[in-house]
Amino acid sequence: MTNPIIDAIKNRRSTRQFTDEQIMEEQMDTLLESAIWAPSGGNSQSWLFTAIQSKDVLMKLNDFVREGLQNWTPKDDYISKMPAIRQHAQKEDYNFYYHAPTLIIASNRPNYDNAMADCALALENIFLAAESMDLGSCYINQLRWLNDYVPLRDYLAELGVPRDHVICSAAAVGHKAKQSNAPERKPGTVKIIR
Ligand SMILES: Cc1cc2nc3c(=O)[nH]c(=O)nc-3n(C[C@H](O)[C@H](O)[C@H](O)COP(=O)(O)O)c2cc1C
């Protein structure tokens, strides 16, 4: 079975190469509108989506991310990847949002168990809405990793992201410069009991 929604679900890929062209204002409105129509635990809608289109602000964020990653230690098994991530972040051309012209940061109130789930659902809405408008998008984790990096939080606070909010995730959005291939689906990940 197919329809435009199923098509968008299947055609969406993580875009990691963007053109310089900014997305249109109506496209931005549609992305943010799609985000806030996601379901949320207990209809909390306690998220905040902060969309950044200023190149200067984005580059400043990139500087904080590069610095922050040098001392960040993950709490999970991602730790094995850290030497490579740190080395990568030291490179002159490192850019955590792949030079996308728009970055949407999803944050949520503290001490809320569904913070991450709500923001992840909203982000998928953004990704699917982007795909439906032939825009590329990518889930970006670095700002979440650096939730506790004070210089970054100071700067985000200046941008209006409440200091006590949990940074859940971010979406890089723009025009696709290159279409990514679809990774194969791993077998054995669904079961039907009838
Ligand atoms: C929770 C989560 C975190 C992710 N973080 C990043 C990230 O920080 N940077 C990135 O380039 N891709 C990130 N991705 C994208 C995945 O790498 C991507 O979805 C996966 O390789 C499958 O490719 P596809 O999205 O094209 O289907 C993330 C995806 C998820 C669901």
Side-chain angles (χ1 to χ4, degrees), residues 9-16 78 96 98 116 120 127 137-142 144-145 169-170 180-183 185:
I9 289 172
K10 288 192 171 173
N11 292 334
R12 179 216 56 83
R13 296 272 71 79
S14 295
T15 297
R16 298 190 178 88
Y78 219 73
F96 78 97
Y98 306 107
M116 191 67 193
F127 297 151
S137 63
C138 190
Y139 195 114
I140 301 292
N141 235 345
Q142 281 83 342
R144 181 179 79 80
W145 293 345
S169 44
S180 313
N181 292 328
R185 297 299 99 188

Side-chain angles (χ1 to χ4, degrees), residues 23 27-35 104 126 129-130 133 173:
I23 64 171
Q27 292 175 319
M28 172 75 109
D29 291 345
T30 304
L31 296 175
L32 295 173
E33 185 80 355
S34 304
I104 304 172
I126 291 176
M133 297 183 283
V173 188

